[in-house]
Amino acid sequence: MGNKAFFLGFLIGFALILSLEFASAQMVPAIFVFGDSLVDVGNNNKLPVSVAKANFPHNGIDFPTKKATGRFSNGKNAADFLAQKVGLPTSPAYLSVSRKSTSSFMTGASFASGGAGIFNGTDRTLGQSIPLTKQVGYYESVYDNLIQQQGLSGAQKSLSKSLFAIVIGSNDILDYSGSSDLQKESTPQQYVDSMRLHASGARKFVFAGIGPIGCIPAQRIKNQTDHGCNEGSNLMAVSYNKGLNSMLRELKSNLTAISYSYFDTYSLLLNIIQNPATYGFAEAEAACCGRGKLNAQIPCLPVAKYCPSRKDHVFWDLYHPTEATASILVDAIFDGPKQYAFPMNVRQLVTV
């Protein structure tokens, strides 16, 4: 009997130690994610008419469940890795939670949607997605529920310490570069204006700049001579990122209570593409999963072929990075130098 009591006490003590270790590892109360397919964790699975989905093989082949989850990746994406860094579970896809109760989103929520852009029509070639304005609207409903459960001061205190990650803009540029009919211009000012979050408790933001989208496999195959990067798309990304940085500095000067970390996705990802071996990659041009030239003429459908070692490839499919690439990018977001993350990295941001 004494041995049983000792063993039970040991288990309880061990469980307490584990819970304390988890609590100490949790750096922020919650993460709220806004964006496109780079951070979608399953919202598009719930959109009835959308064709921009990743709920089929070979997506998810390296995910812990070995099954497709709606992530446009062979495994985890940047949203997963960022949550791990701050000691939280991945923020659940907003549309996947059947009951929109506050308790469902106590550690955050993801509103990100594959094909989404800053404007409502940027996914016109892909089908239905959740544009940024609607994603913010979904967050506001979560905010109202948090107030009902925690009270205004309690909700705002928690949200002021939480992270708000925004990864969007690539689809706008890809749409513009591929269509002469689009008359609207995707400006950084409209990007910032659409993020009506400061009034709803948000104080700590993580903005990811647009990467060198002219170098993704889908853009490279348009260059029939050497499959080089589409410099026109890259120039648009550079221009957009400069404008966004300017707007963020202005926003900070006007709203001194907010803090942010801007990640220079363009510079780091371009460095990876140009020097793949330095980062452990063997292939930086072709997609791992697909068919045709550079595995980019046919998407990563069940009939596609995929590479045996996904860790060797920078790109998973014709648009998206592999899990290995996403991990490197988030490492830099979280602990990177000011060369890539400024005016501070995310580790510094959470302590502000």
Side-chain angles (χ1 to χ4, degrees):
M1 196 67 181
N3 288 339
K4 288 182 178 179
F6 173 81
F7 184 64
L8 180 59
F10 171 80
L11 289 179
I12 293 173
F14 183 68
L16 180 60
I17 291 172
L18 287 180
S19 65
L20 288 173
E21 286 181 349
F22 178 78
S24 63
Q26 183 176 326
M27 301 174 71
V28 296
I31 300 178
F32 297 92
V33 182
F34 305 80
D36 53 30
S37 56
L38 294 173
V39 284
D40 187 353
V41 294
N43 274 313
N44 276 22
N45 286 355
K46 301 298 181 180
L47 298 178
V49 302
S50 176
V51 297
K53 296 184 180 182
N55 58 345
F56 50 80
H58 305 289
N59 297 298
I61 190 172
D62 296 311
F63 199 73
T65 61
K66 306 298 181 184
K67 295 181 180 179
T69 62
R71 291 165 173 81
F72 295 78
S73 171
N74 59 300
K76 297 176 181 179
N77 65 23
D80 298 301
F81 288 119
L82 182 59
Q84 287 181 14
K85 288 287 188 183
V86 297
L88 288 173
T90 299
S91 300
Y94 176 79
L95 296 182
S96 71
V97 180
S98 58
R99 185 179 180 181
K100 301 299 186 296
S101 62
T102 305
S103 58
S104 301
F105 304 111
M106 289 300 292
T107 59
S110 172
F111 311 98
S113 171
I118 300 166
F119 296 108
N120 293 2
T122 53
D123 70 331
R124 67 188 67 209
T125 59
L126 297 175
Q128 184 182 352
S129 69
I130 309 170
L132 182 60
T133 50
K134 193 169 185 178
Q135 292 181 33
V136 175
Y138 283 154
Y139 165 74
E140 289 171 347
S141 68
V142 171
Y143 173 69
D144 290 340
N145 286 334
L146 285 168
I147 292 176
Q148 291 177 12
Q149 179 161 316
Q150 299 178 311
L152 179 60
S153 61
Q156 290 194 335
K157 181 179 180 180
S158 176
L159 292 170
S160 69
K161 298 178 180 179
S162 299
L163 290 181
F164 290 75
I166 301 98
V167 183
I168 202 165
S170 296
N171 289 316
D172 297 274
I173 290 180
L174 287 173
D175 267 12
Y176 296 163
S177 65
S179 173
S180 58
D181 298 328
L182 296 172
Q183 301 298 316
K184 292 178 294 186
E185 183 182 359
S186 174
T187 67
Q189 182 65 62
Q190 290 163 315
Y191 181 8
V192 175
D193 286 347
S194 65
M195 298 304 296
R196 308 181 305 271
L197 297 174
H198 176 263
S200 299
R203 294 294 182 271
K204 299 183 179 183
F205 295 90
V206 181
F207 286 92
I210 299 174
I213 56 176
C215 296
I216 63 176
Q219 290 280 294
R220 283 184 181 272
I221 60 171
K222 295 179 181 180
N223 188 331
Q224 300 294 329
T225 55
D226 61 359
H227 292 154
C229 298
N230 183 328
E231 294 305 328
S233 295
N234 278 352
L235 286 172
M236 289 181 69
V238 169
S239 177
Y240 186 87
N241 289 338
K242 288 181 178 178
L244 177 57
N245 262 299
S246 176
M247 289 296 102
L248 290 176
R249 288 192 294 269
E250 182 178 345
L251 186 67
K252 172 63 176 174
S253 66
N254 293 330
L255 300 173
T256 56
I258 73 164
S259 298
Y260 72 90
S261 175
Y262 171 84
F263 179 58
D264 186 1
T265 313
Y266 188 98
S267 294
L268 180 54
L269 186 52
L270 186 62
N271 195 12
I272 293 172
I273 292 168
Q274 293 175 341
N275 305 284
T278 303
Y279 296 88
F281 297 110
E283 177 57 64
E285 295 184 5
C288 170
C289 184
R291 279 185 176 272
K293 295 178 180 179
L294 301 183
N295 271 348
Q297 290 179 298
I298 295 177
C300 185
L301 299 170
V303 296
K305 297 179 180 180
Y306 62 90
C307 59
S309 179
R310 275 72 69 186
K311 292 182 179 179
D312 289 345
H313 281 61
V314 175
F315 293 101
W316 164 239
D317 60 17
L318 70 170
Y319 294 111
H320 306 98
T322 56
E323 178 185 75
T325 305
S327 178
I328 292 172
L329 294 175
V330 173
D331 282 346
I333 292 172
F334 198 76
D335 283 311
K338 287 190 176 182
Q339 176 186 1
Y340 297 126
F342 50 86
M344 65 188 79
N345 59 37
V346 175
R347 184 183 292 278
Q348 295 165 333
L349 178 65
V350 298
T351 63
V352 172

